[in-house]
Amino acid sequence: MKTFVVKKKNLKNNWYIINAKNQILGRLSTEIAKRLIGKHKTEYTTNLDNGDYIIVLNAKKIIVTGNKKNNKIYYKHTGYIGGIKKKFFKEMLLYYPEKIIQNAVKGMLPKNILGKKMLTKLKIFSGNKHNHNAQKPKIINI
């Protein structure tokens, strides 16, 4: 009996669109991470990047459960002494809605070179329009 191992040249990456309007952040992020890694495919291999490209629309209309809208904090450090900055979820939703989804998905990907490569296949837009029509993406309902 032989074990089938997928080769890099045999990989095919598809493009998908996900609408984030009225979606819960954590549940949406796990679905996106699963598709970026490629775990939804039968030919999943841990050492290859066989995930798909994901386009996320309406990032500014994402929701969170509980009181996270007021209590969730995003930290950033400038690199200088005492340079820690913090922003609440409400502020991030106003100014950087793409960063909210990107941070959530980044935490669910592998922490290595392969994970960074997978994150580049995530395209997030705060509105309804995107510039990837040439790839003919398919719509996923979550």
Side-chain angles (χ1 to χ4, degrees):
M1 182 175 226
K2 292 185 179 183
T3 303
F4 172 73
V5 179
V6 68
K7 302 282 192 266
K8 200 172 197 177
K9 63 182 178 182
N10 297 338
L11 295 177
K12 183 169 183 339
N13 298 332
N14 300 321
W15 284 75
Y16 293 106
I17 294 178
I18 296 177
N19 191 357
K21 185 176 181 179
N22 296 330
Q23 295 284 330
I24 298 172
L25 175 63
R27 293 170 194 259
L28 178 72
S29 300
T30 53
E31 187 65 31
I32 292 171
K34 181 176 78 171
R35 292 186 177 275
L36 284 175
I37 295 170
K39 285 193 170 185
H40 65 288
K41 295 183 177 182
T42 56
E43 60 268 0
Y44 168 69
T45 310
T46 56
N47 62 333
L48 289 177
D49 181 17
N50 60 344
D52 294 324
Y53 288 85
I54 304 291
I55 302 168
V56 180
L57 301 177
N58 294 320
K60 63 183 173 187
K61 296 180 182 173
I62 194 114
I63 58 172
V64 289
T65 58
N67 204 17
K68 292 183 202 120
K69 194 167 202 165
N70 300 320
N71 294 343
K72 189 166 175 62
I73 301 173
Y74 292 91
Y75 290 101
K76 180 181 100 170
H77 201 282
T78 62
Y80 292 98
I81 297 171
I84 195 159
K85 306 287 182 186
K86 68 178 180 178
K87 288 199 176 187
F88 288 95
F89 180 82
K90 285 200 276 189
E91 295 174 59
M92 290 286 283
L93 198 58
L94 282 175
Y95 300 115
Y96 313 105
E98 300 91 8
K99 286 258 190 194
I100 293 172
I101 297 175
Q102 185 178 6
N103 285 345
V105 172
K106 183 180 178 183
M108 297 177 188
L109 294 177
K111 311 308 190 263
N112 54 23
I113 297 169
L114 205 56
K116 291 174 186 166
K117 189 176 172 187
M118 289 172 188
L119 193 61
T120 60
K121 295 195 296 186
L122 177 64
K123 316 294 181 191
I124 305 171
F125 297 95
S126 60
N128 244 350
K129 303 198 187 250
H130 63 90
N131 54 1
H132 298 286
N133 289 326
Q135 284 76 23
K136 298 182 180 110
K138 300 171 194 148
I139 297 173
I140 299 176
N141 292 324
I142 298 176

